């Protein structure tokens, strides 16, 4: 979708906009969301970050998904100047070559070169990582007043690269159903934390199985029960749940309910295994599972570049015995969604196919 197409849809007589889920847990699904709720979400983010009319925002995400659409809505709602570049792995390289400056408060668009300094930008981890590798792009990235990173996990290597940035860098928590993020956590400076701070109008609780329940009436009708297993911040002095206000609890993500492997009665969180291995494996990898007649499920690791023996050695050294993969399979390319997240359901299907082929060839 182009910017012109989205603006045409936004300005038509319909009360809703068509968006698609990211597809991280299955096939992307279409959703119709209310424009008034998108505007409410935009105000929540702008208020949290202190963005004002005339500030500059960078649009470098695809407009087919909620993250890109919401950048435009924030600009329209708050009167931000929007710099549009073609979505790519190096958005800051494009900013001086193809940047288009859209004056959202006057609905005018020009081709003049925009300022390199942005008050606000949202990127996926891959875009940030690529920008850090090029000195000129790294310098531009450091000038962004508020950089929000979402759409994928931020590993320890990337977090270390960002921890000393002079301006605010945030990790976002949200989904299509919440119309982008409803909570942020700082990745740099004295406020750096592993705990997400929800917006003021958002209330949180836990389901019986430990998953996050979101009550955000401004952006979603009714309670939203997620598949994210979380823990709330605990006050060390009294052991009670820490509340930053009456309805706000900081939280930490442990993983997804549908990413729990039950192997021989032991529950293994896929994301925890990946976090343990991340600092020790250079090649791209992901952890998944396969059926096992004896254990129920078994841990399986997919890796690119074919370094199976080295990966096996690292797993034996780093992981607890019951977390260690029973199969380590080399693939040309890991299954990923169009937004750069691991395609978990695809990975499981691929593993079943590879294991079946291996058995047939024995």
């Amino acid at each position: 979708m182009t910017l012109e197409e989205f603006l045409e849809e936004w300005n038509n007589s319909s009360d809703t906009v068509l968006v698609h889920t990211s597809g991280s847990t299955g096939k992307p699904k279409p959703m119709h969301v209310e424009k008034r709720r998108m505007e409410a979400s935009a105000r929540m983010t702008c208020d949290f970050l202190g963005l004002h009319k005339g500030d500059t925002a960078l649009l470098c995400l695809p407009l087919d998904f909620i993250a890109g659409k919401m950048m435009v809505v924030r600009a329209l709602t708050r009167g931000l100047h929007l710099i549009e570049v073609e979505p790519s792995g190096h958005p800051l390289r494009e900013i001086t070559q193809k940047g288009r400056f859209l004056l959202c408060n006057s609905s005018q668009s020009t081709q003049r070169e925009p300022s390199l300094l942005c008050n606000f930008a949202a990127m996926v981890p891959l875009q940030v990582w690529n920008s850090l590798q090029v000195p000129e792009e790294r310098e531009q990235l450091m000038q962004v007043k508020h950089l929000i990173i979402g759409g994928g996990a931020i590993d320890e290597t990337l977090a270390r690269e960002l921890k000393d940035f002079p301006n605010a860098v945030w990790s976002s928590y949200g989904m299509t159903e919440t119309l982008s993020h409803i909570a942020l956590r700082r990745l740099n400076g004295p406020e750096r934390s592993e705990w997400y701070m929800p917006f003021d109008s958002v209330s949180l609780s836990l389901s019986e199985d430990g998953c996050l329940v979101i009550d955000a009436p401004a952006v979603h009708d009714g309670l939203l029960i997620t598949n994210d297993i979380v823990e709330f911040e605990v006050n060390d002095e009294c052991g009670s749940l820490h509340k930053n206000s009456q309805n706000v609890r900081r939280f930490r993500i442990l993983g997804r309910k549908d990413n729990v492997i039950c192997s021989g009665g032991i529950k293994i969180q896929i994301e925890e295994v990946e976090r343990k291995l991340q600092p020790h494996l250079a090649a791209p990898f992901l952890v998944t599972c396969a059926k096992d007649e004896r254990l129920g499920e078994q841990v399986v690791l997919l890796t690119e570049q074919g370094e199976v023996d080295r990966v096996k050695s690292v797993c034996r050294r780093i992981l607890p015995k019951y977390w260690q993969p029973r199969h380590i399979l080399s693939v040309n390319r890991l299954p990923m969604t169009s937004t750069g997240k691991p395609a978990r359901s695809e990975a499981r299907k691929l593993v079943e196919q590879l294991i079946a082929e291996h058995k047939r060839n024995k």
Side-chain angles (χ1 to χ4, degrees), residues 74-145:
R74 292 178 195 120
L76 293 168
T77 302
R78 191 51 56 98
L80 307 177
H81 296 319
L82 191 67
I83 302 173
E84 183 203 12
V85 297
E86 189 75 22
S88 74
H90 287 269
L92 297 176
R93 181 176 60 197
E94 304 293 327
I95 197 171
T96 56
Q97 297 175 357
K98 303 176 183 176
R100 183 172 58 158
F101 205 76
L102 179 69
L103 306 179
C104 280
N105 51 346
S106 63
S107 300
Q108 296 176 358
S109 177
T110 72
Q111 292 296 131
R112 68 186 176 89
E113 181 177 317
S115 166
L116 297 184
L117 179 62
C118 289
N119 297 93
F120 179 42
M123 300 183 187
V124 297
L126 178 63
Q127 290 176 316
V128 177
W129 176 255
N130 288 345
S131 299
L132 289 171
Q133 310 312 306
V134 183
E136 295 82 2
E137 294 175 29
R138 184 188 183 96
E139 182 63 30
Q140 293 177 42
L141 196 66
M142 293 176 71
Q143 293 184 55
V144 177
K145 291 297 184 182

Side-chain angles (χ1 to χ4, degrees), residues 112-280:
R112 68 186 176 89
E113 181 177 317
S115 166
L116 297 184
L117 179 62
C118 289
N119 297 93
F120 179 42
M123 300 183 187
V124 297
L126 178 63
Q127 290 176 316
V128 177
W129 176 255
N130 288 345
S131 299
L132 289 171
Q133 310 312 306
V134 183
E136 295 82 2
E137 294 175 29
R138 184 188 183 96
E139 182 63 30
Q140 293 177 42
L141 196 66
M142 293 176 71
Q143 293 184 55
V144 177
K145 291 297 184 182
H146 288 282
L147 172 64
I148 286 183
I149 308 173
I154 299 172
D155 62 38
E156 292 183 12
T157 303
L158 180 56
R160 282 196 300 269
E161 289 284 329
L162 297 167
K163 68 182 181 67
D164 295 322
F165 262 44
N167 294 311
V169 184
W170 306 88
S171 171
S172 68
Y173 175 84
M175 59 207 74
T176 306
E177 291 81 356
T178 60
L179 308 184
S180 191
H181 46 262
I182 51 90
L184 298 171
R185 69 179 177 93
R186 277 290 290 268
L187 295 173
N188 68 320
E191 299 173 32
R192 183 183 180 197
S193 175
E194 62 180 355
W195 300 92
Y196 283 92
M197 172 70 77
F199 295 151
D200 286 341
S201 60
V202 176
S203 299
L204 305 174
S205 59
L206 286 181
S207 66
E208 290 185 358
D209 49 7
C211 290
L212 185 67
V213 179
I214 301 171
D215 184 11
V219 298
H220 186 272
D221 187 20
L223 296 179
L224 178 61
I225 302 174
T226 74
N227 284 328
D228 293 313
I229 299 174
V230 306
E231 63 176 347
F232 290 128
E233 188 177 37
V234 175
N235 187 315
D236 292 333
E237 294 183 3
C238 62
S240 62
L241 288 171
H242 173 74
K243 296 184 180 181
N244 299 288
S245 70
Q246 185 176 359
N247 295 316
V248 180
R249 296 176 177 178
R250 298 209 309 173
F251 64 97
R252 185 169 73 95
I253 300 171
L254 303 180
R256 288 184 63 85
K257 176 184 175 182
D258 42 4
N259 289 341
V260 174
I261 301 171
C262 189
S263 183
I266 297 174
K267 292 185 178 180
I268 303 165
Q269 190 72 50
I270 283 177
E271 293 91 343
E272 289 292 324
V273 181
E274 291 176 339
R275 276 193 283 270
K276 284 268 190 182
L277 293 173
Q278 191 68 53
H280 307 280

